[in-house]
Amino acid sequence: MKVGLVLEGGAMRGLYTAGVLDVFLDSGIKADTVIGTSAGVLFGVNYASGQRGRALRYNKKYAPNGCYMGIRSLLTTGNIINKQFAYYDLPSKLDIFDEEAYERSGVDFYATVTNVETGEPEYIKITDCFAQMEAMRATSAMPYVSKIVEYEGKKYLDGGVADSIPVDKCIEMGCDKVIVVLTRPIDYRKGKTNPKLANMLYGRKYPKIAERMNNRYAEYNACVEKIIEMEKRGKIFVIRPSRTVKVKHIERSRERLQEIYDLGAADCAASLDALKAYLHNESDMKGAE
């Protein structure tokens, strides 16, 4: 049996996922394949490396720091998340990521990115986080407030633009059991956005991604409805926030960060028995249908 884990993004809402994954580590819940988007990747790699509490620790310590993220970084570097501080200094010097443990885990870990020129999602296997840090940046390069990231000759932005919740890709990869961790409550749906900004900033040079950005709300909402239906049929297991916590994309409040993390841990703990039953049920995907 091959277990897949799908991790939605959501900037600092991703600390909900961090709470879930830390409970997974405590409870011995293991996945063979992990595929994430944006913050799902950045925080999810700590699950593969077994570094319980790391995502919460460094975010609470540095989120209030203007060197990490915010308007100052956007104005001085063109990226709302500071490239040097967040992706290079932090994991290599300030709160060291355990690359050796990550590699030993044997987890197949994929980062979802959006190809700016085609508008299509791509899935990059992360075998060495430090060597592939630009791919990690690419999956989390939020449109409008990030520069386009070039990696291996291609141009990318946030994977959530083209595939916010890559559950179909996880199944396509041959996973028999799929756990999906969402960062929005079950009743959340995206609203339609004004197309003018995407068209103005990207449309002339990259019309495909502008089109994708303008249709993202419909694609996201359709994906959520599909996930709910798959969940009802027992094809996948979903953990999502049981209530709304108002967390900003660039959240500086340590209390809010702790609150969303604690909610993820509590929701996961409440779901553990049902999750273990799902994983131990030998019915295959077709049988679940």
Side-chain angles (χ1 to χ4, degrees), residues 163-284:
D163 195 357
S164 294
I165 313 169
V167 63
D168 285 342
K169 186 64 178 180
C170 189
I171 294 172
E172 180 186 313
M173 289 176 172
C175 294
D176 307 295
K177 298 287 184 176
V178 178
I179 308 167
V180 182
V181 182
L182 304 179
T183 58
R184 296 284 197 181
I186 194 168
D187 59 352
Y188 175 80
R189 300 294 183 276
K190 287 190 181 296
K192 186 175 182 179
T193 56
N194 190 321
K196 290 183 179 179
L197 184 58
N199 291 341
M200 178 178 68
L201 291 180
Y202 302 107
R204 189 170 183 179
K205 193 171 183 180
Y206 306 110
K208 294 293 186 180
I209 198 169
E211 180 182 1
R212 200 83 195 225
M213 290 167 68
N214 291 331
N215 290 329
R216 186 188 177 198
Y217 78 99
E219 293 182 350
Y220 180 88
N221 293 343
C223 183
V224 169
E225 295 294 345
K226 183 176 182 179
I227 285 171
I228 291 173
E229 181 60 28
M230 294 173 73
E231 181 184 17
K232 288 178 180 177
R233 292 158 57 194
K235 293 186 67 175
I236 61 176
F237 191 94
V238 182
I239 300 174
R240 58 171 66 83
S242 55
R243 61 181 176 86
T244 299
V245 176
K246 294 183 178 180
V247 175
K248 300 174 183 177
H249 276 75
I250 305 301
E251 182 60 68
R252 299 190 184 281
S253 167
R254 292 186 175 96
E255 291 75 18
R256 284 283 171 81
L257 297 178
Q258 184 71 55
E259 182 181 4
I260 191 68
Y261 171 90
D262 288 345
L263 181 63
D267 286 347
C268 184
S271 302
L272 272 180
D273 288 345
L275 173 57
K276 290 176 180 177
Y278 166 77
L279 293 175
H280 292 148
N281 185 340
E282 294 300 326
S283 297
D284 60 17

Side-chain angles (χ1 to χ4, degrees), residues 3-56:
V3 178
L5 177 59
V6 178
L7 306 177
E8 184 182 11
M12 283 304 186
R13 288 197 320 277
L15 281 177
Y16 176 88
T17 302
V20 171
L21 297 180
D22 282 352
V23 173
F24 280 8
L25 289 174
D26 291 343
S27 306
I29 302 297
K30 296 182 179 180
D32 303 293
T33 298
V34 179
I35 180 167
T37 298
S38 195
V41 173
L42 299 184
F43 299 160
V45 291
N46 298 295
Y47 165 72
S49 66
Q51 291 178 275
R52 189 193 191 287
R54 179 175 178 268
L56 177 66

